Amino acid sequence: MKRDKSAEFTCPTVMPWIEIRTALNSAACYDSHSHDEVSFGIINYGSAKYRNQRNQHLIGQGDVVTINLGMYTRAIPIKGSGRILCCLLMRSN
């Protein structure tokens, strides 16, 4: 999968098991993938078709998504809708 150039990653030195990801005006498509960590995402702007396992949802401003370890997800932005999002990723090790 191509890296989203609008994304910025931050890892607090006092909590190395946590990573914060922010993306401003992202139009990136994320094909089906899984995570090696538990993730919480907040959509601050825009909308996308979000699939979590077999369930598909339309997500947008104010929505929060939870992605469990190893769960397959994908997010396809709605045409013409850039997204602003913030994700908190927590590794278990």
Side-chain angles (χ1 to χ4, degrees):
M1 187 178 337
K2 202 162 87 171
R3 189 165 177 100
D4 181 359
K5 292 180 182 177
S6 70
E8 186 176 305
F9 296 85
T10 306
C11 187
T13 55
V14 295
M15 295 181 286
W17 62 91
I18 290 180
E19 183 175 79
I20 300 166
R21 177 181 173 256
T22 54
L24 301 175
N25 203 25
S26 172
C29 293
Y30 295 102
D31 277 338
S32 188
H33 65 283
S34 65
H35 289 253
D36 294 332
E37 58 275 312
V38 174
S39 305
F40 300 93
I42 300 170
I43 310 300
N44 294 328
Y45 174 82
S47 57
K49 291 179 186 174
Y50 172 74
R51 179 177 288 273
N52 190 322
Q53 298 291 75
R54 293 188 177 111
N55 302 307
Q56 185 164 302
H57 305 277
L58 179 62
I59 59 173
Q61 185 175 357
D63 286 334
V64 176
V65 296
T66 303
I67 304 169
N68 292 322
L69 177 71
M71 184 172 283
Y72 280 86
T73 65
R74 75 175 183 183
I76 310 297
I78 302 299
K79 189 173 184 174
S81 174
R83 292 168 295 174
I84 298 175
L85 56 97
C86 182
C87 294
L88 174 67
L89 301 101
M90 298 183 298
R91 289 181 287 284
S92 60
N93 52 2

Coordinates of all heavy atoms in Angstrom, one line a residue:
M1 N 0.8 -1.2 0.0 CA 0.0 0.0 0.0 C 0.9 1.2 0.0 O 1.9 1.3 0.7 CB -0.9 0.0 1.2 CG -1.9 1.1 1.3 SD -3.0 1.0 2.7 CE -3.0 -0.6 3.3
K2 N 0.6 2.2 -0.8 CA 1.3 3.4 -0.9 C 1.1 4.3 0.4 O 0.0 4.4 0.9 CB 0.8 4.2 -2.1 CG 1.9 5.2 -2.6 CD 1.6 5.6 -4.1 CE 0.6 6.7 -4.1 NZ 0.4 7.3 -5.4
R3 N 2.2 4.9 0.9 CA 2.1 5.7 2.1 C 1.4 7.0 1.8 O 1.6 7.6 0.8 CB 3.5 6.0 2.6 CG 3.5 6.6 4.0 CD 4.8 6.5 4.6 NE 4.9 7.2 5.8 CZ 4.8 6.6 7.0 NH1 4.7 5.3 7.1 NH2 4.9 7.3 8.1
D4 N 0.5 7.4 2.7 CA -0.3 8.6 2.6 C 0.6 9.8 2.9 O 1.0 9.9 4.1 CB -1.5 8.5 3.6 CG -2.4 9.7 3.5 OD1 -2.1 10.7 2.8 OD2 -3.4 9.7 4.3
K5 N 0.9 10.6 1.9 CA 1.9 11.7 2.1 C 1.3 12.8 3.0 O 2.0 13.7 3.5 CB 2.3 12.3 0.8 CG 3.2 11.3 0.0 CD 3.6 11.8 -1.3 CE 4.5 10.8 -2.0 NZ 4.9 11.2 -3.3
S6 N -0.1 12.8 3.2 CA -0.7 13.8 4.0 C -0.6 13.4 5.5 O -1.0 14.2 6.4 CB -2.1 14.1 3.6 OG -2.9 13.0 4.0
A7 N -0.2 12.2 5.8 CA -0.2 11.7 7.2 C 1.1 12.1 7.9 O 2.2 12.1 7.3 CB -0.4 10.2 7.2
E8 N 1.0 12.4 9.2 CA 2.1 12.7 10.0 C 2.0 11.8 11.2 O 0.9 11.6 11.8 CB 2.0 14.1 10.5 CG 3.2 14.6 11.3 CD 3.1 16.1 11.6 OE1 2.9 16.9 10.6 OE2 3.1 16.5 12.8
F9 N 3.1 11.2 11.6 CA 3.2 10.2 12.7 C 4.0 10.8 13.9 O 5.1 11.3 13.7 CB 3.8 8.9 12.3 CG 3.0 8.2 11.2 CD1 3.1 8.5 9.9 CD2 2.1 7.2 11.6 CE1 2.4 7.9 8.9 CE2 1.3 6.6 10.6 CZ 1.4 6.9 9.3
T10 N 3.5 10.6 15.1 CA 4.2 11.1 16.3 C 4.2 10.0 17.3 O 3.2 9.3 17.5 CB 3.4 12.3 16.9 OG1 3.3 13.3 15.9 CG2 4.2 12.9 18.1
C11 N 5.3 9.8 17.9 CA 5.4 8.7 19.0 C 6.0 9.4 20.2 O 7.2 9.8 20.2 CB 6.3 7.6 18.5 SG 6.4 6.2 19.6
P12 N 5.2 9.6 21.3 CA 5.7 10.2 22.5 C 6.8 9.4 23.1 O 6.7 8.2 23.3 CB 4.5 10.3 23.4 CG 3.3 10.0 22.5 CD 3.8 9.2 21.4
T13 N 7.9 10.1 23.5 CA 9.1 9.4 24.0 C 8.7 8.7 25.4 O 9.3 7.7 25.7 CB 10.3 10.3 24.2 OG1 9.9 11.4 24.9 CG2 10.8 10.7 22.8
V14 N 7.8 9.3 26.1 CA 7.5 8.7 27.4 C 6.5 7.6 27.3 O 6.3 6.8 28.3 CB 6.9 9.8 28.4 CG1 8.0 10.9 28.7 CG2 5.7 10.5 27.8
M15 N 5.9 7.4 26.2 CA 5.0 6.3 25.9 C 5.3 5.7 24.5 O 4.5 5.9 23.6 CB 3.5 6.8 26.0 CG 3.1 7.3 27.3 SD 1.4 7.8 27.4 CE 1.5 9.4 26.5
P16 N 6.4 4.9 24.4 CA 6.8 4.4 23.1 C 5.8 3.4 22.5 O 5.9 3.1 21.3 CB 8.1 3.8 23.3 CG 8.2 3.6 24.8 CD 7.3 4.6 25.5
W17 N 4.9 2.9 23.2 CA 3.9 1.9 22.7 C 2.7 2.6 22.0 O 1.8 2.0 21.5 CB 3.4 1.0 23.8 CG 2.7 1.7 24.9 CD1 1.4 1.9 25.0 CD2 3.3 2.3 26.1 NE1 1.1 2.7 26.1 CE2 2.3 2.9 26.8 CE3 4.6 2.4 26.6 CZ2 2.5 3.6 28.0 CZ3 4.8 3.1 27.7 CH2 3.8 3.6 28.5
I18 N 2.7 3.9 22.1 CA 1.6 4.7 21.5 C 2.1 5.5 20.3 O 3.2 6.0 20.3 CB 1.0 5.7 22.5 CG1 0.2 4.9 23.6 CG2 0.1 6.7 21.9 CD1 -0.4 5.7 24.6
E19 N 1.3 5.5 19.2 CA 1.6 6.3 18.0 C 0.4 7.1 17.7 O -0.7 6.6 17.7 CB 2.0 5.4 16.9 CG 2.4 6.1 15.6 CD 2.8 5.2 14.5 OE1 2.0 4.6 13.9 OE2 4.0 5.0 14.4
I20 N 0.6 8.4 17.4 CA -0.5 9.3 17.0 C -0.3 9.6 15.5 O 0.7 10.0 15.1 CB -0.5 10.5 17.9 CG1 -0.7 10.2 19.3 CG2 -1.7 11.5 17.4 CD1 -0.4 11.3 20.3
R21 N -1.4 9.4 14.8 CA -1.4 9.7 13.3 C -2.4 10.7 13.0 O -3.5 10.6 13.4 CB -1.7 8.4 12.5 CG -1.7 8.6 11.1 CD -2.1 7.3 10.4 NE -2.3 7.6 9.0 CZ -3.5 7.7 8.4 NH1 -4.6 7.4 9.1 NH2 -3.6 8.0 7.1
T22 N -2.0 11.8 12.3 CA -2.9 12.8 11.9 C -2.8 12.9 10.4 O -1.7 12.8 9.8 CB -2.6 14.2 12.5 OG1 -1.3 14.5 12.3 CG2 -2.9 14.1 14.0
A23 N -3.9 13.2 9.7 CA -3.9 13.4 8.2 C -4.8 14.6 7.9 O -5.9 14.6 8.4 CB -4.4 12.1 7.5
L24 N -4.2 15.5 7.2 CA -4.9 16.7 6.9 C -5.3 16.7 5.4 O -4.4 16.5 4.5 CB -4.1 18.0 7.2 CG -3.7 18.1 8.6 CD1 -2.8 19.3 8.8 CD2 -4.9 18.3 9.5
N25 N -6.6 16.8 5.1 CA -7.1 16.8 3.8 C -6.7 15.5 3.0 O -6.3 15.6 1.8 CB -6.8 18.1 3.0 CG -7.7 18.3 1.9 OD1 -8.8 17.9 1.9 ND2 -7.2 19.0 0.9
S26 N -6.7 14.4 3.6 CA -6.3 13.1 3.0 C -7.4 12.6 2.0 O -8.5 12.5 2.4 CB -6.0 12.1 4.1 OG -5.8 10.9 3.5
A27 N -7.0 12.2 0.8 CA -7.8 11.6 -0.1 C -7.3 10.2 -0.4 O -7.7 9.5 -1.3 CB -7.9 12.4 -1.4
A28 N -6.5 9.7 0.5 CA -5.9 8.4 0.3 C -6.9 7.3 0.5 O -7.8 7.3 1.3 CB -4.8 8.2 1.4
C29 N -6.8 6.3 -0.4 CA -7.6 5.1 -0.3 C -6.8 4.0 0.5 O -5.6 3.8 0.1 CB -8.0 4.5 -1.6 SG -9.0 5.6 -2.6
Y30 N -7.4 3.4 1.4 CA -6.7 2.3 2.1 C -7.4 1.0 1.8 O -8.5 0.7 2.3 CB -6.8 2.6 3.7 CG -6.0 3.8 4.0 CD1 -6.6 5.0 4.3 CD2 -4.6 3.8 4.1 CE1 -5.9 6.1 4.7 CE2 -3.9 4.9 4.4 CZ -4.5 6.1 4.7 OH -3.8 7.2 5.0
D31 N -6.8 0.2 0.9 CA -7.3 -1.1 0.6 C -7.3 -2.0 1.9 O -6.8 -1.6 2.9 CB -6.5 -1.8 -0.5 CG -6.9 -1.3 -1.9 OD1 -8.0 -0.9 -2.0 OD2 -6.1 -1.5 -2.8
S32 N -7.9 -3.2 1.8 CA -8.1 -4.1 2.9 C -6.7 -4.3 3.5 O -5.7 -4.7 2.8 CB -8.7 -5.4 2.4 OG -9.0 -6.2 3.5
H33 N -6.6 -4.1 4.8 CA -5.4 -4.3 5.5 C -5.7 -4.6 7.0 O -6.9 -4.4 7.4 CB -4.5 -3.1 5.4 CG -5.1 -1.9 6.1 ND1 -6.1 -1.1 5.5 CD2 -4.8 -1.3 7.3 CE1 -6.4 -0.1 6.3 NE2 -5.7 -0.2 7.4
S34 N -4.8 -5.1 7.7 CA -5.0 -5.3 9.2 C -3.9 -4.5 9.9 O -3.0 -4.0 9.4 CB -4.9 -6.8 9.5 OG -3.6 -7.2 9.3
H35 N -4.1 -4.3 11.2 CA -3.3 -3.6 12.1 C -2.6 -4.5 13.1 O -3.2 -5.4 13.6 CB -4.0 -2.5 12.8 CG -4.5 -1.4 11.9 ND1 -3.9 -0.1 11.9 CD2 -5.5 -1.3 11.0 CE1 -4.6 0.6 11.1 NE2 -5.5 -0.1 10.5
D36 N -1.4 -4.2 13.4 CA -0.6 -4.9 14.5 C -0.9 -4.3 15.8 O -0.2 -4.6 16.8 CB 0.9 -4.9 14.2 CG 1.2 -5.7 12.9 OD1 0.4 -6.6 12.6 OD2 2.2 -5.3 12.3
E37 N -1.8 -3.4 15.9 CA -2.1 -2.7 17.2 C -3.6 -2.4 17.2 O -4.3 -2.4 16.2 CB -1.3 -1.4 17.3 CG -1.5 -0.4 16.2 CD -0.6 -0.6 15.0 OE1 0.6 -0.8 15.1 OE2 -1.2 -0.6 13.9
V38 N -4.1 -2.0 18.4 CA -5.5 -1.5 18.6 C -5.5 -0.1 18.1 O -4.5 0.7 18.5 CB -5.9 -1.7 20.0 CG1 -7.3 -1.1 20.2 CG2 -5.9 -3.2 20.4
S39 N -6.4 0.3 17.3 CA -6.5 1.7 16.8 C -7.8 2.3 17.1 O -8.9 1.7 17.0 CB -6.2 1.7 15.3 OG -5.0 1.1 15.0
F40 N -7.8 3.6 17.4 CA -9.0 4.4 17.5 C -8.9 5.6 16.6 O -7.9 6.3 16.6 CB -9.2 5.0 19.0 CG -9.3 3.9 20.0 CD1 -8.2 3.4 20.6 CD2 -10.5 3.3 20.3 CE1 -8.2 2.4 21.6 CE2 -10.6 2.3 21.2 CZ -9.5 1.8 21.9
G41 N -9.8 5.8 15.7 CA -9.8 6.9 14.8 C -10.9 7.9 14.9 O -12.1 7.4 15.1
I42 N -10.7 9.1 14.8 CA -11.7 10.2 14.9 C -11.7 10.9 13.6 O -10.7 11.4 13.1 CB -11.5 11.1 16.1 CG1 -11.4 10.4 17.4 CG2 -12.5 12.3 16.1 CD1 -11.0 11.2 18.5
I43 N -12.9 11.0 12.9 CA -13.0 11.8 11.7 C -13.4 13.2 12.0 O -14.5 13.4 12.6 CB -14.0 11.1 10.7 CG1 -13.8 9.6 10.6 CG2 -14.1 11.8 9.4 CD1 -12.5 9.2 10.0
N44 N -12.5 14.1 11.7 CA -12.8 15.5 12.0 C -13.5 16.3 10.9 O -14.1 17.3 11.1 CB -11.5 16.3 12.4 CG -11.0 15.8 13.7 OD1 -11.7 15.3 14.6 ND2 -9.6 15.8 13.8
Y45 N -13.3 15.7 9.7 CA -13.9 16.4 8.5 C -13.9 15.3 7.3 O -13.0 14.5 7.3 CB -13.0 17.6 8.1 CG -13.4 18.2 6.8 CD1 -14.4 19.1 6.7 CD2 -12.8 17.8 5.6 CE1 -14.8 19.7 5.5 CE2 -13.1 18.4 4.4 CZ -14.2 19.3 4.3 OH -14.6 19.9 3.2
G46 N -14.9 15.5 6.5 CA -14.9 14.6 5.3 C -15.7 13.3 5.6 O -16.3 13.1 6.7
S47 N -15.7 12.4 4.6 CA -16.4 11.2 4.8 C -15.8 10.1 3.9 O -15.0 10.3 3.0 CB -17.9 11.3 4.3 OG -18.0 11.8 3.0
A48 N -16.1 8.8 4.3 CA -15.5 7.7 3.6 C -16.4 6.5 3.7 O -17.3 6.4 4.6 CB -14.2 7.3 4.2
K49 N -16.3 5.5 2.8 CA -16.9 4.2 2.9 C -15.9 3.4 3.7 O -14.8 3.2 3.3 CB -17.2 3.6 1.6 CG -18.2 4.3 0.8 CD -18.4 3.6 -0.6 CE -19.4 4.4 -1.4 NZ -19.4 3.9 -2.8
Y50 N -16.3 2.9 4.9 CA -15.5 2.2 5.8 C -16.0 0.8 5.9 O -17.1 0.5 6.1 CB -15.5 2.9 7.1 CG -14.7 2.2 8.2 CD1 -13.4 2.1 8.2 CD2 -15.4 1.5 9.2 CE1 -12.7 1.4 9.2 CE2 -14.8 0.8 10.2 CZ -13.4 0.8 10.2 OH -12.7 0.1 11.2
R51 N -15.1 -0.2 5.7 CA -15.4 -1.6 5.9 C -14.6 -2.2 7.0 O -13.4 -2.0 7.0 CB -15.2 -2.4 4.6 CG -15.5 -3.9 4.8 CD -15.3 -4.7 3.5 NE -16.4 -4.3 2.5 CZ -17.6 -4.9 2.5 NH1 -17.9 -5.8 3.3 NH2 -18.4 -4.6 1.5
N52 N -15.3 -2.8 7.9 CA -14.6 -3.5 9.1 C -15.1 -4.9 9.0 O -16.3 -5.2 9.3 CB -15.0 -2.8 10.4 CG -14.2 -3.2 11.5 OD1 -13.9 -4.4 11.7 ND2 -13.9 -2.3 12.4
Q53 N -14.2 -5.9 8.7 CA -14.5 -7.2 8.5 C -15.5 -7.3 7.3 O -15.2 -6.9 6.3 CB -15.0 -7.9 9.8 CG -14.0 -8.0 10.9 CD -12.8 -8.9 10.6 OE1 -11.9 -8.5 9.9 NE2 -12.8 -10.0 11.3
R54 N -16.8 -7.7 7.6 CA -17.8 -7.8 6.6 C -18.8 -6.7 6.6 O -19.7 -6.7 5.8 CB -18.5 -9.2 6.7 CG -17.6 -10.3 6.4 CD -18.4 -11.6 6.4 NE -17.5 -12.7 6.0 CZ -17.2 -13.7 6.9 NH1 -17.7 -13.7 8.1 NH2 -16.4 -14.6 6.5
N55 N -18.7 -5.8 7.5 CA -19.7 -4.7 7.7 C -19.2 -3.4 7.0 O -18.0 -3.0 7.3 CB -20.0 -4.5 9.2 CG -20.5 -5.7 9.8 OD1 -21.4 -6.3 9.4 ND2 -19.8 -6.1 10.9
Q56 N -20.0 -2.8 6.3 CA -19.7 -1.5 5.6 C -20.5 -0.4 6.2 O -21.7 -0.5 6.4 CB -19.8 -1.6 4.1 CG -19.3 -0.3 3.4 CD -19.2 -0.5 1.9 OE1 -18.4 -1.3 1.5 NE2 -19.9 0.3 1.2
H57 N -19.8 0.8 6.4 CA -20.5 1.9 7.0 C -20.1 3.2 6.3 O -18.9 3.2 5.8 CB -20.1 2.1 8.5 CG -20.4 0.9 9.3 ND1 -21.6 0.6 9.8 CD2 -19.5 -0.1 9.7 CE1 -21.5 -0.5 10.5 NE2 -20.3 -1.0 10.4
L58 N -20.9 4.2 6.2 CA -20.5 5.5 5.8 C -20.1 6.3 7.0 O -20.9 6.4 7.9 CB -21.7 6.2 5.1 CG -21.4 7.6 4.6 CD1 -20.3 7.6 3.5 CD2 -22.7 8.2 4.0
I59 N -18.9 6.7 7.1 CA -18.4 7.4 8.2 C -18.1 8.9 7.8 O -17.7 9.2 6.7 CB -17.1 6.8 8.9 CG1 -16.0 6.7 7.9 CG2 -17.5 5.4 9.4 CD1 -14.7 6.2 8.5
G60 N -18.2 9.8 8.8 CA -18.0 11.2 8.5 C -17.7 11.9 9.8 O -17.4 11.3 10.9
Q61 N -17.7 13.2 9.7 CA -17.3 14.1 10.8 C -18.0 13.7 12.1 O -19.2 13.5 12.2 CB -17.8 15.6 10.5 CG -17.3 16.6 11.5 CD -17.6 18.0 11.1 OE1 -18.1 18.2 10.0 NE2 -17.3 18.9 11.9
G62 N -17.2 13.6 13.2 CA -17.6 13.2 14.5 C -17.7 11.7 14.8 O -17.8 11.3 15.9
D63 N -17.5 10.9 13.7 CA -17.5 9.4 13.9 C -16.2 9.0 14.5 O -15.1 9.5 14.2 CB -17.8 8.7 12.6 CG -19.2 8.8 12.2 OD1 -20.1 9.0 13.1 OD2 -19.5 8.7 11.0
V64 N -16.3 7.9 15.4 CA -15.1 7.3 16.0 C -15.1 5.8 15.5 O -16.2 5.2 15.6 CB -15.1 7.4 17.5 CG1 -14.0 6.6 18.1 CG2 -15.2 8.8 18.0
V65 N -14.0 5.3 15.0 CA -13.9 3.9 14.7 C -12.9 3.3 15.6 O -11.9 3.9 16.0 CB -13.5 3.7 13.2 CG1 -14.6 4.3 12.3 CG2 -12.2 4.4 12.8
T66 N -13.2 2.0 15.9 CA -12.3 1.2 16.7 C -11.8 0.0 15.8 O -12.7 -0.6 15.2 CB -13.0 0.7 18.0 OG1 -13.5 1.8 18.7 CG2 -12.1 -0.1 18.8
I67 N -10.6 -0.2 15.8 CA -10.0 -1.3 15.0 C -9.2 -2.2 15.9 O -8.2 -1.8 16.5 CB -9.1 -0.8 13.8 CG1 -9.9 0.2 13.0 CG2 -8.6 -2.0 13.0 CD1 -9.0 1.0 12.0
N68 N -9.7 -3.5 16.0 CA -9.1 -4.4 16.9 C -7.8 -5.0 16.2 O -7.7 -5.0 15.0 CB -10.0 -5.5 17.3 CG -11.1 -5.1 18.2 OD1 -10.9 -4.2 19.0 ND2 -12.3 -5.6 17.9
L69 N -6.9 -5.5 17.0 CA -5.7 -6.1 16.6 C -6.0 -7.2 15.6 O -6.9 -8.1 15.9 CB -5.0 -6.7 17.8 CG -3.7 -7.5 17.6 CD1 -2.6 -6.5 17.2 CD2 -3.3 -8.3 18.8
G70 N -5.4 -7.2 14.4 CA -5.6 -8.2 13.4 C -6.9 -8.2 12.6 O -7.1 -9.0 11.7
M71 N -7.7 -7.2 12.9 CA -9.0 -7.1 12.1 C -8.8 -6.4 10.8 O -8.1 -5.4 10.7 CB -10.0 -6.3 13.0 CG -11.4 -6.2 12.3 SD -12.6 -5.5 13.5 CE -12.8 -6.8 14.6
Y72 N -9.4 -6.9 9.7 CA -9.2 -6.4 8.4 C -10.2 -5.2 8.2 O -11.4 -5.3 8.5 CB -9.4 -7.4 7.3 CG -8.2 -8.2 7.1 CD1 -7.9 -9.3 7.9 CD2 -7.2 -7.9 6.2 CE1 -6.8 -10.1 7.8 CE2 -6.0 -8.6 6.1 CZ -5.8 -9.7 6.9 OH -4.7 -10.4 6.7
T73 N -9.7 -4.1 7.7 CA -10.5 -2.9 7.4 C -10.1 -2.3 6.1 O -9.0 -2.6 5.5 CB -10.3 -1.8 8.5 OG1 -8.9 -1.4 8.5 CG2 -10.6 -2.3 9.9
R74 N -10.9 -1.4 5.6 CA -10.5 -0.5 4.5 C -11.3 0.7 4.5 O -12.4 0.8 5.1 CB -10.7 -1.3 3.1 CG -12.1 -1.4 2.7 CD -12.2 -2.0 1.3 NE -13.6 -2.0 0.9 CZ -14.0 -2.5 -0.2 NH1 -13.2 -3.1 -1.0 NH2 -15.3 -2.5 -0.5
A75 N -10.8 1.8 3.9 CA -11.5 3.1 3.9 C -11.3 3.7 2.5 O -10.2 4.0 2.1 CB -11.0 4.0 5.0
I76 N -12.4 4.0 1.9 CA -12.4 4.7 0.6 C -13.1 6.0 0.7 O -14.3 6.0 1.0 CB -13.1 3.8 -0.5 CG1 -12.6 2.3 -0.5 CG2 -13.0 4.4 -1.9 CD1 -11.1 2.2 -0.8
P77 N -12.4 7.1 0.5 CA -13.1 8.4 0.6 C -14.2 8.6 -0.4 O -14.1 8.1 -1.5 CB -11.9 9.4 0.4 CG -10.8 8.7 -0.3 CD -11.0 7.3 0.0
I78 N -15.2 9.3 0.0 CA -16.3 9.7 -0.9 C -15.7 10.7 -1.9 O -15.0 11.6 -1.5 CB -17.5 10.3 -0.1 CG1 -18.0 9.3 1.0 CG2 -18.6 10.7 -1.0 CD1 -18.5 8.0 0.4
K79 N -16.1 10.5 -3.1 CA -15.5 11.4 -4.2 C -15.6 12.9 -3.8 O -16.7 13.3 -3.4 CB -16.2 11.1 -5.5 CG -15.6 11.8 -6.7 CD -16.2 11.4 -8.0 CE -15.4 12.0 -9.1 NZ -15.9 11.5 -10.4
G80 N -14.5 13.6 -3.9 CA -14.5 15.0 -3.6 C -14.4 15.4 -2.2 O -14.5 16.5 -1.8
S81 N -14.2 14.3 -1.3 CA -14.2 14.6 0.1 C -12.9 14.2 0.7 O -12.6 13.1 1.0 CB -15.3 13.7 0.8 OG -15.3 13.8 2.2
G82 N -12.1 15.2 0.9 CA -10.8 15.0 1.6 C -11.2 14.8 3.1 O -12.2 15.2 3.6
R83 N -10.3 14.1 3.8 CA -10.6 13.8 5.2 C -9.5 14.4 6.1 O -8.4 14.5 5.7 CB -10.6 12.3 5.5 CG -11.7 11.6 4.9 CD -11.5 10.1 4.9 NE -10.3 9.8 4.1 CZ -9.7 8.6 4.0 NH1 -10.2 7.6 4.7 NH2 -8.7 8.4 3.2
I84 N -10.0 14.8 7.3 CA -9.0 15.2 8.3 C -9.3 14.2 9.4 O -10.4 14.0 9.9 CB -9.3 16.6 8.9 CG1 -9.0 17.6 7.7 CG2 -8.4 16.9 10.1 CD1 -9.4 19.1 8.1
L85 N -8.3 13.4 9.8 CA -8.5 12.4 10.8 C -7.3 12.3 11.8 O -6.2 12.8 11.5 CB -8.8 11.0 10.2 CG -7.7 10.5 9.2 CD1 -6.8 9.5 9.9 CD2 -8.4 9.8 8.1
C86 N -7.6 11.7 12.9 CA -6.6 11.5 13.9 C -6.8 10.1 14.5 O -7.9 9.7 14.8 CB -6.8 12.6 15.1 SG -5.6 12.4 16.4
C87 N -5.7 9.4 14.5 CA -5.7 8.0 15.0 C -4.8 7.8 16.1 O -3.7 8.4 16.1 CB -5.3 7.0 13.9 SG -6.5 6.9 12.5
L88 N -5.2 7.0 17.1 CA -4.4 6.7 18.2 C -4.1 5.2 18.1 O -5.1 4.4 18.0 CB -5.1 7.0 19.6 CG -4.4 6.5 20.8 CD1 -3.1 7.2 21.0 CD2 -5.3 6.6 22.0
L89 N -2.9 4.8 17.9 CA -2.5 3.4 17.7 C -1.7 2.9 19.0 O -0.8 3.6 19.4 CB -1.7 3.2 16.5 CG -2.4 3.6 15.2 CD1 -1.8 5.0 14.8 CD2 -2.2 2.7 14.1
M90 N -2.2 1.8 19.6 CA -1.5 1.3 20.8 C -1.0 -0.1 20.6 O -1.8 -1.0 20.3 CB -2.5 1.3 21.9 CG -3.0 2.7 22.3 SD -4.1 2.8 23.7 CE -5.4 1.9 23.1
R91 N 0.3 -0.3 20.6 CA 0.9 -1.6 20.5 C 0.8 -2.3 21.9 O 0.9 -1.7 22.9 CB 2.4 -1.4 20.1 CG 2.5 -1.0 18.6 CD 4.0 -0.9 18.2 NE 4.6 0.3 18.8 CZ 4.5 1.5 18.4 NH1 3.6 1.8 17.4 NH2 5.1 2.5 19.0
S92 N 0.8 -3.6 21.8 CA 0.6 -4.4 23.0 C 1.9 -4.9 23.6 O 2.0 -5.3 24.7 CB -0.2 -5.7 22.7 OG 0.4 -6.5 21.8
N93 N 3.0 -4.7 22.9 CA 4.3 -5.2 23.4 C 5.2 -4.0 23.8 O 5.1 -2.9 23.5 CB 5.1 -6.0 22.4 CG 5.2 -5.4 21.0 OD1 4.8 -4.2 20.8 ND2 5.8 -6.1 20.1

